[in-house]
Amino acid sequence: MPRKNTATQDKGAGRLRQPAEIQYREQLQALASVDDTDRPENWRLSPASVLTYILGGEKITTTVKGKKKTVEITRKFYGDRSIVERAIVTLASDRALLLVGEPGTGKSWLSEHLAAAISGDSTLTIQGTAGTTEEHLKYSWNVARVIAEGPTADNLIPAPTMIAMQQGRLLRFEESTRCVPDVQDALVSVLSDKAIAIPELPDANMVWAKPGFNIIATANSRDQGVNELSAALKRRFNYIHIPVVADAKTEVQIVKQRATELLQRYALPTKVPPPVIELITTVFREIREGKSKEGVSLKQPSTTLSTAEAIGVTIESALRASYFGGDTVAGEDIARNIVGSIVKEDLNDLAALKEYAKLIAQKRAANNKVWNSFYQGVQQVIRQ
Ligand SMILES: Nc1ncnc2c1ncn2[C@@H]1O[C@H](COP(=O)(O)OP(=O)(O)O)[C@@H](O)[C@H]1O
Ligand SMILES: [Mg+2]
């Protein structure tokens, strides 16, 4: 039975989160309306327009219902242009794409936007876990109907891979290295044959991939070794390493943009002033790198302090301030949330934060209000 793809059928109202193709529909439509260059078969946009969609920075004037309208294409992914270009070229080729990197570097985010721009659908996704089976990957059966009627094409339930093949779309395979080798092997046959065999069906027992089908997989480099990709699978993927954002300014910009977008959902009266976002990003960065701006060496905790964590702390600090505090986010709000994000399993990680407060925050607190309130906040939290 064809899967009803509700994600692309309604407008997504009343959802906690909308897929990229719905949230950024206006931008995608504007790009499509002026895009008349060649593109790979079944792609919604040309490779150049996909790149513009991901990197942003253009204004496009189109006509919507007879009225002229200018749509700004916002930046989605902050990173090297060459990384995004290589990703797009790979997806147009015979090889699949694997985005590798530390957790929270925007791999899933980039993969979602690539799928939205190229296929108009980012929801054909498999989450790799230790429990992922070949059935989650390929297809399963409606057991009750198979008992009554036997295996027929109507009783087959296609998994996202099969749907993506039939529709010529991209499949997203998240956390691919978490899957057991058997499941990874099933992917080898999908990638090399571009077909799935259904031996249970008496005839017409092959599903062939349409042009446009390809796979974007993601893998955390911290997880590598859990189930490392087999040599056969490695050969079929182009690896693209997604680095941690290189410069401090860009990281502040990412946190600002994403936190503002995500906070809109809550409609809070609380403001998050730019210096607060700068402070959060700086603390994460310096502790992550084990070195302050002034060159002071710092203890590094066992947790990864990614850009994504900084976004999380910004949002939670804003929520805390608006529920239990005042109109603006204060140092105490940040301090409480930063502790939770630095000290996860290992209580010794608290030492890293304590040291940071003493060596770095205290000095900056002397002539800076925001740093002062952060320093006081950390002292309070540590004392408790
Ligand atoms: N380079 C980046 N550009 C844009 N957003 C980023 C970047 N790095 C991290 N983020 C943000 O961090 C959040 C988490 O990223 P995610 O894609 O889930 O990380 P990963 O899959 O690498 O663990 C997303 O909201 C994303 O917007
Ligand atoms: Mg991810």
Side-chain angles (χ1 to χ4, degrees), residues 76-79 102-110 174-175 218 220 242-243 245 254 258 262 307-308 311:
K76 317 295 178 314
F77 180 72
Y78 290 81
E102 296 262 307
T105 46
K107 299 180 296 297
S108 303
W109 175 250
L110 177 60
E174 290 281 297
E175 308 289 0
T218 63
N220 279 327
I242 306 290
V245 182
I254 299 176
R258 288 296 295 149
L262 290 167
T307 313
I311 296 171

Side-chain angles (χ1 to χ4, degrees), residues 155-184:
N155 298 342
L156 182 130
I157 305 165
T161 315
M162 192 176 265
I163 299 170
M165 290 168 100
Q166 287 167 326
Q167 301 182 340
R169 294 185 177 179
L170 292 177
L171 171 76
R172 295 174 54 210
F173 188 15
E174 290 281 297
E175 308 289 0
S176 52
T177 43
R178 295 230 174 109
C179 293
V180 295
D182 276 5
V183 174
Q184 294 190 14

